[in-house]
């Protein structure tokens, strides 16, 4: 419950349950506009090239200095697939081919939905983008798991690697439950 003022008229809001609803909402005390708070969508892409997986080393918080699947928040006016492609271009300077839905991960405690795609490099060119200090192809057995930024990335990567040998990739929807002790390890607010 973070909203303090109405985004329509600027007056103070109060959290109340509107008629016919069951969730407290930010309701303007002047114009009665109801502001809804909705989950953030994160787009991500697992990129394979010649049996290796492309990761970028983050330069921004949270988890600066850790490796990650190229990912980021969806922008208004874009679709999930185009958002994932944009994030890949921004973070690891790569062009993709065969972009396919891989999984949807709900992080309810963070109010986030992560939409993962899988793809192949369109050519051998990639590099560090504005939010990364390095981009590197890792053989599955060489991924530095203790240096991967987020639990959702670890979950998606492990499933991807498990399915790699057969080439039969499932599309899965899964809830990621946050372990608050793990959050302390990651030095992340809950």
């Amino acid at each position: 419950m973070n909203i303090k003022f109405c985004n329509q008229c600027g007056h103070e809001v109060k959290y109340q349950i509107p008629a016919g609803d069951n969730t407290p909402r930010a309701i303007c005390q002047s114009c009665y506009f109801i502001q809804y708070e909705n989950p953030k969508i994160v787009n991500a892409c697992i990129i394979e090239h010649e049996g290796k997986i492309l990761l970028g080393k983050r330069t921004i918080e949270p988890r600066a200095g850790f490796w990650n699947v190229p990912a980021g928040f969806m922008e208004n006016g874009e679709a999930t697939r185009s958002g994932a492609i944009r994030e890949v271009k921004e973070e690891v300077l790569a062009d993709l081919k065969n972009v396919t839905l891989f999984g949807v991960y709900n992080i309810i405690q963070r109010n986030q939905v992560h939409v993962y795609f899988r793809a192949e490099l369109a050519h051998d060119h990639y590099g560090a983008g504005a939010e990364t200090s390095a981009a590197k192809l890792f053989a599955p057995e060489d991924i530095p798991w203790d240096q991967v930024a987020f639990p959702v990335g670890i979950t998606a990567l492990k499933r991807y690697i498990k399915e790699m040998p057969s080439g039969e990739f499932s599309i899965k929807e899964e809830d990621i439950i946050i372990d608050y002790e793990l959050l302390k390890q990651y030095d992340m607010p809950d």
Side-chain angles (χ1 to χ4, degrees), residues 38-68:
N38 304 103
K40 297 284 188 183
I41 298 172
V42 175
N43 300 311
C45 193
I46 297 172
I47 306 157
E48 185 178 344
H49 183 68
E50 298 177 354
K52 295 181 178 182
I53 296 171
L54 182 61
L55 300 178
K57 190 174 245 187
R58 296 173 59 82
T59 59
I60 61 170
E61 293 296 344
R63 308 294 282 159
F66 285 76
W67 293 97
N68 198 39

Side-chain angles (χ1 to χ4, degrees), residues 59 61 68 71-72 76 83 88 94 120 125:
T59 59
E61 293 296 344
N68 198 39
N76 288 335
V88 167
E120 299 169 37
H125 305 288

Side-chain angles (χ1 to χ4, degrees), residues 112-172:
Q112 295 177 356
V113 177
H114 291 238
V115 180
Y116 270 70
F117 292 87
R118 61 182 180 86
E120 299 169 37
L121 280 179
H123 46 72
D124 289 342
H125 305 288
Y126 61 89
E131 297 177 355
T132 55
S133 61
K136 182 177 177 182
L137 286 166
F138 288 93
E141 63 272 13
D142 295 332
I143 292 174
W145 294 108
D146 61 337
Q147 295 175 36
V148 175
F150 303 108
V152 65
I154 293 169
T155 300
L157 280 169
K158 285 187 174 184
R159 182 167 69 86
Y160 186 89
I161 290 166
K162 183 179 177 183
E163 295 177 355
M164 273 177 78
S166 70
E168 298 289 325
F169 294 98
S170 60
I171 298 173
K172 186 173 184 179

